[in-house]
PDB file of all heavy atoms in Angstrom:
ATOM      1  N   ALA A 250      -1.679   0.329   4.240  1.00  0.00           N
ATOM      2  CA  ALA A 250      -0.672  -0.595   4.781  1.00  0.00           C
ATOM      3  C   ALA A 250       0.737  -0.126   4.410  1.00  0.00           C
ATOM      4  O   ALA A 250       1.659  -0.186   5.233  1.00  0.00           O
ATOM      5  CB  ALA A 250      -0.915  -2.003   4.239  1.00  0.00           C
ATOM      6  N   ALA A 251       0.884   0.371   3.191  1.00  0.00           N
ATOM      7  CA  ALA A 251       2.200   0.869   2.755  1.00  0.00           C
ATOM      8  C   ALA A 251       2.580   2.095   3.581  1.00  0.00           C
ATOM      9  O   ALA A 251       3.734   2.240   4.013  1.00  0.00           O
ATOM     10  CB  ALA A 251       2.161   1.219   1.275  1.00  0.00           C
ATOM     11  N   ALA A 252       1.593   2.974   3.813  1.00  0.00           N
ATOM     12  CA  ALA A 252       1.867   4.169   4.603  1.00  0.00           C
ATOM     13  C   ALA A 252       2.316   3.791   6.013  1.00  0.00           C
ATOM     14  O   ALA A 252       3.257   4.367   6.559  1.00  0.00           O
ATOM     15  CB  ALA A 252       0.615   5.050   4.656  1.00  0.00           C
ATOM     16  N   ALA A 253       1.635   2.790   6.595  1.00  0.00           N
ATOM     17  CA  ALA A 253       1.991   2.356   7.952  1.00  0.00           C
ATOM     18  C   ALA A 253       3.388   1.734   7.972  1.00  0.00           C
ATOM     19  O   ALA A 253       4.184   2.006   8.875  1.00  0.00           O
ATOM     20  CB  ALA A 253       0.958   1.354   8.461  1.00  0.00           C
ATOM     21  N   LEU A 254       3.688   0.930   6.965  1.00  0.00           N
ATOM     22  CA  LEU A 254       4.997   0.265   6.918  1.00  0.00           C
ATOM     23  C   LEU A 254       6.122   1.290   6.735  1.00  0.00           C
ATOM     24  O   LEU A 254       7.193   1.150   7.320  1.00  0.00           O
ATOM     25  CB  LEU A 254       5.050  -0.731   5.759  1.00  0.00           C
ATOM     26  CG  LEU A 254       4.357  -2.063   5.965  1.00  0.00           C
ATOM     27  CD1 LEU A 254       4.376  -2.883   4.687  1.00  0.00           C
ATOM     28  CD2 LEU A 254       5.046  -2.855   7.074  1.00  0.00           C
ATOM     29  N   LEU A 255       5.838   2.307   5.928  1.00  0.00           N
ATOM     30  CA  LEU A 255       6.880   3.290   5.634  1.00  0.00           C
ATOM     31  C   LEU A 255       6.886   4.434   6.643  1.00  0.00           C
ATOM     32  O   LEU A 255       7.735   5.316   6.580  1.00  0.00           O
ATOM     33  CB  LEU A 255       6.696   3.850   4.219  1.00  0.00           C
ATOM     34  CG  LEU A 255       6.693   2.787   3.104  1.00  0.00           C
ATOM     35  CD1 LEU A 255       6.481   3.438   1.757  1.00  0.00           C
ATOM     36  CD2 LEU A 255       7.991   2.005   3.101  1.00  0.00           C
ATOM     37  N   GLY A 256       5.899   4.415   7.557  1.00  0.00           N
ATOM     38  CA  GLY A 256       5.837   5.462   8.566  1.00  0.00           C
ATOM     39  C   GLY A 256       5.530   6.828   7.971  1.00  0.00           C
ATOM     40  O   GLY A 256       6.004   7.853   8.442  1.00  0.00           O
ATOM     41  N   ARG A 257       4.724   6.853   6.888  1.00  0.00           N
ATOM     42  CA  ARG A 257       4.367   8.114   6.246  1.00  0.00           C
ATOM     43  C   ARG A 257       2.854   8.215   6.137  1.00  0.00           C
ATOM     44  O   ARG A 257       2.141   7.207   6.223  1.00  0.00           O
ATOM     45  CB  ARG A 257       4.968   8.197   4.830  1.00  0.00           C
ATOM     46  CG  ARG A 257       6.444   7.919   4.745  1.00  0.00           C
ATOM     47  CD  ARG A 257       7.257   9.059   5.322  1.00  0.00           C
ATOM     48  NE  ARG A 257       7.269  10.217   4.468  1.00  0.00           N
ATOM     49  CZ  ARG A 257       8.268  10.510   3.626  1.00  0.00           C
ATOM     50  NH1 ARG A 257       9.298   9.715   3.544  1.00  0.00           N
ATOM     51  NH2 ARG A 257       8.228  11.602   2.890  1.00  0.00           N
ATOM     52  N   GLU A 258       2.376   9.435   5.909  1.00  0.00           N
ATOM     53  CA  GLU A 258       0.956   9.630   5.647  1.00  0.00           C
ATOM     54  C   GLU A 258       0.724   9.436   4.149  1.00  0.00           C
ATOM     55  O   GLU A 258       1.565   9.839   3.334  1.00  0.00           O
ATOM     56  CB  GLU A 258       0.529  11.058   6.037  1.00  0.00           C
ATOM     57  CG  GLU A 258       0.519  11.315   7.527  1.00  0.00           C
ATOM     58  CD  GLU A 258      -0.579  10.556   8.246  1.00  0.00           C
ATOM     59  OE1 GLU A 258      -1.641  10.348   7.658  1.00  0.00           O
ATOM     60  OE2 GLU A 258      -0.337  10.144   9.401  1.00  0.00           O
ATOM     61  N   CYS A 259      -0.446   8.835   3.817  1.00  0.00           N
ATOM     62  CA  CYS A 259      -0.756   8.603   2.406  1.00  0.00           C
ATOM     63  C   CYS A 259      -0.684   9.907   1.624  1.00  0.00           C
ATOM     64  O   CYS A 259      -0.062   9.988   0.568  1.00  0.00           O
ATOM     65  CB  CYS A 259      -2.158   8.018   2.257  1.00  0.00           C
ATOM     66  SG  CYS A 259      -2.267   6.303   2.750  1.00  0.00           S
ATOM     67  N   THR A 260      -1.328  10.949   2.179  1.00  0.00           N
ATOM     68  CA  THR A 260      -1.475  12.184   1.417  1.00  0.00           C
ATOM     69  C   THR A 260      -0.154  12.915   1.231  1.00  0.00           C
ATOM     70  O   THR A 260       0.078  13.526   0.194  1.00  0.00           O
ATOM     71  CB  THR A 260      -2.473  13.118   2.129  1.00  0.00           C
ATOM     72  OG1 THR A 260      -2.115  13.168   3.514  1.00  0.00           O
ATOM     73  CG2 THR A 260      -3.882  12.591   1.989  1.00  0.00           C
ATOM     74  N   GLU A 261       0.722  12.832   2.218  1.00  0.00           N
ATOM     75  CA  GLU A 261       1.954  13.619   2.139  1.00  0.00           C
ATOM     76  C   GLU A 261       2.947  13.061   1.120  1.00  0.00           C
ATOM     77  O   GLU A 261       3.860  13.739   0.696  1.00  0.00           O
ATOM     78  CB  GLU A 261       2.627  13.728   3.513  1.00  0.00           C
ATOM     79  CG  GLU A 261       3.369  12.480   3.948  1.00  0.00           C
ATOM     80  CD  GLU A 261       4.028  12.655   5.311  1.00  0.00           C
ATOM     81  OE1 GLU A 261       3.613  13.576   6.052  1.00  0.00           O
ATOM     82  OE2 GLU A 261       4.938  11.892   5.610  1.00  0.00           O
ATOM     83  N   THR A 262       2.747  11.814   0.725  1.00  0.00           N
ATOM     84  CA  THR A 262       3.708  11.210  -0.199  1.00  0.00           C
ATOM     85  C   THR A 262       3.271  11.321  -1.652  1.00  0.00           C
ATOM     86  O   THR A 262       4.104  11.199  -2.540  1.00  0.00           O
ATOM     87  CB  THR A 262       3.886   9.718   0.123  1.00  0.00           C
ATOM     88  OG1 THR A 262       2.615   9.117   0.140  1.00  0.00           O
ATOM     89  CG2 THR A 262       4.563   9.520   1.451  1.00  0.00           C
ATOM     90  N   ILE A 263       1.960  11.541  -1.878  1.00  0.00           N
ATOM     91  CA  ILE A 263       1.485  11.604  -3.266  1.00  0.00           C
ATOM     92  C   ILE A 263       2.163  12.785  -3.967  1.00  0.00           C
ATOM     93  O   ILE A 263       2.130  13.910  -3.485  1.00  0.00           O
ATOM     94  CB  ILE A 263      -0.054  11.781  -3.312  1.00  0.00           C
ATOM     95  CG1 ILE A 263      -0.744  10.645  -2.569  1.00  0.00           C
ATOM     96  CG2 ILE A 263      -0.540  11.865  -4.759  1.00  0.00           C
ATOM     97  CD1 ILE A 263      -0.535   9.277  -3.138  1.00  0.00           C
ATOM     98  N   GLY A 264       2.780  12.493  -5.088  1.00  0.00           N
ATOM     99  CA  GLY A 264       3.464  13.539  -5.846  1.00  0.00           C
ATOM    100  C   GLY A 264       4.942  13.624  -5.542  1.00  0.00           C
ATOM    101  O   GLY A 264       5.697  14.211  -6.315  1.00  0.00           O
ATOM    102  N   LEU A 265       5.367  13.032  -4.408  1.00  0.00           N
ATOM    103  CA  LEU A 265       6.801  13.023  -4.102  1.00  0.00           C
ATOM    104  C   LEU A 265       7.525  12.138  -5.108  1.00  0.00           C
ATOM    105  O   LEU A 265       6.954  11.198  -5.635  1.00  0.00           O
ATOM    106  CB  LEU A 265       7.041  12.426  -2.715  1.00  0.00           C
ATOM    107  CG  LEU A 265       7.023  13.327  -1.494  1.00  0.00           C
ATOM    108  CD1 LEU A 265       7.375  12.494  -0.274  1.00  0.00           C
ATOM    109  CD2 LEU A 265       8.023  14.451  -1.639  1.00  0.00           C
ATOM    110  N   LEU A 266       8.777  12.432  -5.332  1.00  0.00           N
ATOM    111  CA  LEU A 266       9.568  11.528  -6.156  1.00  0.00           C
ATOM    112  C   LEU A 266       9.861  10.275  -5.331  1.00  0.00           C
ATOM    113  O   LEU A 266      10.242  10.377  -4.164  1.00  0.00           O
ATOM    114  CB  LEU A 266      10.875  12.192  -6.564  1.00  0.00           C
ATOM    115  CG  LEU A 266      10.811  13.110  -7.785  1.00  0.00           C
ATOM    116  CD1 LEU A 266      12.152  13.743  -8.029  1.00  0.00           C
ATOM    117  CD2 LEU A 266      10.355  12.345  -9.015  1.00  0.00           C
ATOM    118  N   ALA A 267       9.674   9.124  -5.928  1.00  0.00           N
ATOM    119  CA  ALA A 267       9.884   7.872  -5.195  1.00  0.00           C
ATOM    120  C   ALA A 267      11.319   7.781  -4.684  1.00  0.00           C
ATOM    121  O   ALA A 267      11.575   7.251  -3.605  1.00  0.00           O
ATOM    122  CB  ALA A 267       9.565   6.689  -6.093  1.00  0.00           C
ATOM    123  N   SER A 268      12.247   8.333  -5.456  1.00  0.00           N
ATOM    124  CA  SER A 268      13.659   8.237  -5.068  1.00  0.00           C
ATOM    125  C   SER A 268      13.988   9.114  -3.854  1.00  0.00           C
ATOM    126  O   SER A 268      15.072   9.006  -3.294  1.00  0.00           O
ATOM    127  CB  SER A 268      14.542   8.629  -6.241  1.00  0.00           C
ATOM    128  OG  SER A 268      14.180   9.917  -6.691  1.00  0.00           O
ATOM    129  N   GLU A 269      13.047   9.992  -3.480  1.00  0.00           N
ATOM    130  CA  GLU A 269      13.298  10.861  -2.329  1.00  0.00           C
ATOM    131  C   GLU A 269      12.559  10.391  -1.083  1.00  0.00           C
ATOM    132  O   GLU A 269      12.427  11.134  -0.109  1.00  0.00           O
ATOM    133  CB  GLU A 269      12.866  12.297  -2.666  1.00  0.00           C
ATOM    134  CG  GLU A 269      13.737  12.918  -3.748  1.00  0.00           C
ATOM    135  CD  GLU A 269      13.205  14.269  -4.188  1.00  0.00           C
ATOM    136  OE1 GLU A 269      12.110  14.660  -3.742  1.00  0.00           O
ATOM    137  OE2 GLU A 269      13.898  14.917  -4.993  1.00  0.00           O
ATOM    138  N   MET A 270      12.043   9.175  -1.127  1.00  0.00           N
ATOM    139  CA  MET A 270      11.241   8.679   0.002  1.00  0.00           C
ATOM    140  C   MET A 270      12.086   8.415   1.242  1.00  0.00           C
ATOM    141  O   MET A 270      11.639   8.591   2.360  1.00  0.00           O
ATOM    142  CB  MET A 270      10.537   7.386  -0.409  1.00  0.00           C
ATOM    143  CG  MET A 270       9.320   7.600  -1.267  1.00  0.00           C
ATOM    144  SD  MET A 270       7.892   8.044  -0.310  1.00  0.00           S
ATOM    145  CE  MET A 270       7.425   6.457   0.354  1.00  0.00           C
ATOM    146  N   PHE A 271      13.316   7.961   1.055  1.00  0.00           N
ATOM    147  CA  PHE A 271      14.115   7.529   2.199  1.00  0.00           C
ATOM    148  C   PHE A 271      15.467   8.227   2.236  1.00  0.00           C
ATOM    149  O   PHE A 271      16.026   8.561   1.193  1.00  0.00           O
ATOM    150  CB  PHE A 271      14.348   6.015   2.141  1.00  0.00           C
ATOM    151  CG  PHE A 271      13.082   5.221   2.170  1.00  0.00           C
ATOM    152  CD1 PHE A 271      12.575   4.678   1.011  1.00  0.00           C
ATOM    153  CD2 PHE A 271      12.388   5.038   3.351  1.00  0.00           C
ATOM    154  CE1 PHE A 271      11.406   3.953   1.026  1.00  0.00           C
ATOM    155  CE2 PHE A 271      11.220   4.320   3.378  1.00  0.00           C
ATOM    156  CZ  PHE A 271      10.724   3.777   2.221  1.00  0.00           C
ATOM    157  N   ASP A 272      15.936   8.428   3.447  1.00  0.00           N
ATOM    158  CA  ASP A 272      17.270   9.002   3.645  1.00  0.00           C
ATOM    159  C   ASP A 272      18.220   7.972   4.235  1.00  0.00           C
ATOM    160  O   ASP A 272      19.390   7.919   3.896  1.00  0.00           O
ATOM    161  CB  ASP A 272      17.186  10.212   4.591  1.00  0.00           C
ATOM    162  CG  ASP A 272      16.344  11.315   3.976  1.00  0.00           C
ATOM    163  OD1 ASP A 272      16.408  11.471   2.746  1.00  0.00           O
ATOM    164  OD2 ASP A 272      15.619  11.994   4.720  1.00  0.00           O
ATOM    165  N   ALA A 273      17.672   7.159   5.172  1.00  0.00           N
ATOM    166  CA  ALA A 273      18.534   6.201   5.877  1.00  0.00           C
ATOM    167  C   ALA A 273      19.096   5.171   4.886  1.00  0.00           C
ATOM    168  O   ALA A 273      18.367   4.683   4.021  1.00  0.00           O
ATOM    169  CB  ALA A 273      17.734   5.489   6.959  1.00  0.00           C
ATOM    170  N   PRO A 274      20.383   4.853   4.999  1.00  0.00           N
ATOM    171  CA  PRO A 274      21.017   3.932   4.041  1.00  0.00           C
ATOM    172  C   PRO A 274      20.355   2.562   3.993  1.00  0.00           C
ATOM    173  O   PRO A 274      20.243   1.972   2.923  1.00  0.00           O
ATOM    174  CB  PRO A 274      22.456   3.819   4.551  1.00  0.00           C
ATOM    175  CG  PRO A 274      22.646   4.949   5.481  1.00  0.00           C
ATOM    176  CD  PRO A 274      21.322   5.338   6.002  1.00  0.00           C
TER     177      PRO A 274
END
Side-chain angles (χ1 to χ4, degrees):
Chain A
L254 282 174
L255 303 179
R257 308 288 287 262
E258 290 291 327
C259 286
T260 48
E261 77 179 19
T262 53
I263 303 297
L265 271 184
L266 277 177
S268 55
E269 293 173 354
M270 282 279 283
F271 300 102
D272 297 325

